[in-house]
Amino acid sequence: MAMAALRGPAGRFRWRVRAVPGGARGAAAGQQCYDLLVIGGGSGGLACAKEAAQLGKKVAVVDYVEPSPRGTRWGLGGTCVNVGCIPKKLMHQAALLGGSLHDASHFGWEVAQPVRHDWRKMAEAVQNYVKSLNWGHRVQLQDRKVKYFNFKASFVNKHTVCGVSKGGKEALLSAEHIVIATGGRPRYPTHIEGALEYGITSDDIFWLKESPGRTLVVGASYVALECAGFLTGLGLDTTVMMRSVPLRTFDQQMASLVTNHMASHGTRFLRGCIPLKVERLSDGQLQVTWVDLASDRKDTGTFDTVLWAVVFPVRGLPALSLVSRP
Ligand SMILES: Cc1cc2nc3c(=O)[nH]c(=O)nc-3n(C[C@H](O)[C@H](O)[C@H](O)COP(=O)(O)OP(=O)(O)OC[C@H]3O[C@@H](n4cnc5c(N)ncnc54)[C@H](O)[C@@H]3O)c2cc1C
């Protein structure tokens, strides 16, 4: 028997039983069996896998990074290590250092002016650090005897996963328990003309080789504000466009403190506006057309980069093919 996952009436997954040779737990020839199989090598998946291995279980982690629409890809460790907390904090640190350099002369430091920032150099250092963490995670798994597969996983049945490598090689992995820790990825507003074609997301910003230049950040999530914050701090002309309130689910008094602080450091805010389209001009710049919801007036602006940070959904289950394979 194999199980095909279907969405039940409550939106939850349920399993439809289908007959396949080998039985539900019958491992086919060449199939590798584990006590625990973890799909997703991010903060959650790695912690779970290492803990289980420590408790004496036979564990495997399957992790695969789907390249961003711009082609950005990265290694083991998930969002936090590669395109989240870590590179973000390093870029904030770069921005803070710039601020300190600016203040330093008032405290007697003789800093040659003008002080310039080299994005390429910073990005290289950040990316090298992230790569060292990717390596560190692989070593940690090895040390704990957790098997790592760089495979994209999809379910075959309740206890079996099919992993497909970048080169198309397939392997069947089965386990008594399978943990889904597939995290989330930013999403493009594909209904907006030019959004996917010309925009980037937080999946790309940390891996850009060149400075993003004049940037429009669309969204008011913490990802939007954090990216806008370090871009401003690095001296880049940065605008945040938001439809309604910043940091919607956060304490609004704190949210105002954050946006006021950012505005005082030079971030521009376009509130109550939504983008309508993005076009590339003949000089390579991106022209964004938006509407001000209060006045219904349309306006345009030109930018070098448009960064979408509109939604950050927990992709989890829908990202993973739960439909049984033939
Ligand atoms: C810009 C930014 C800044 C952030 N800053 C912070 C912060 O300061 N503090 C904080 O606590 N959090 C922060 N976060 C959030 C944090 O990064 C995430 O909450 C965390 O990384 C989620 O971990 P996870 O293990 O659930 O998923 P992820 O880290 O996303 O890992 C999931 C892994 O599963 C892989 N995967 C998905 N589907 C499959 C499949 N079918 N087969 C195999 N592998 C698959 C994915 O490619 C990925 O490698 C930030 C996020 C962003 C984007």
Side-chain angles (χ1 to χ4, degrees), residues 199-272:
I200 64 166
T201 67
S202 57
D203 277 355
D204 306 295
I205 187 82
F206 306 108
W207 294 88
L208 294 180
K209 298 257 183 278
E210 302 295 338
S211 166
R214 188 166 194 234
T215 303
L216 173 68
V217 178
V218 186
S221 60
Y222 76 89
V223 170
L225 297 190
E226 289 200 279
C227 290
F230 69 69
L231 292 176
T232 304
L234 294 173
L236 301 178
D237 182 328
T238 309
T239 304
V240 175
M241 182 184 294
M242 59 176 81
R243 188 179 51 182
S244 56
V245 295
L247 302 172
R248 176 179 289 284
T249 55
F250 291 70
D251 179 295
Q252 281 304 296
Q253 199 178 359
M254 293 305 295
S256 294
L257 285 175
V258 169
T259 49
N260 289 343
H261 178 79
M262 289 175 68
S264 75
H265 281 71
T267 311
R268 287 196 306 134
F269 285 93
L270 291 169
R271 293 169 187 262

Side-chain angles (χ1 to χ4, degrees), residues 39-45 62-66 74 77-80 83-85 88-89 151-154 181-185 202 206 222-223 226-227 312 315 319-320:
I39 305 173
S43 318
V62 187
D63 185 69
Y64 183 86
V65 178
E66 200 70 70
W74 52 88
T79 304
C80 180
V83 286
C85 336
K88 169 202 76 187
K89 285 188 175 82
F151 285 162
K152 181 172 181 177
S154 59
T182 47
R185 294 283 289 270
S202 57
F206 306 108
Y222 76 89
V223 170
E226 289 200 279
C227 290
F312 195 69
R315 196 170 63 164
L320 194 65

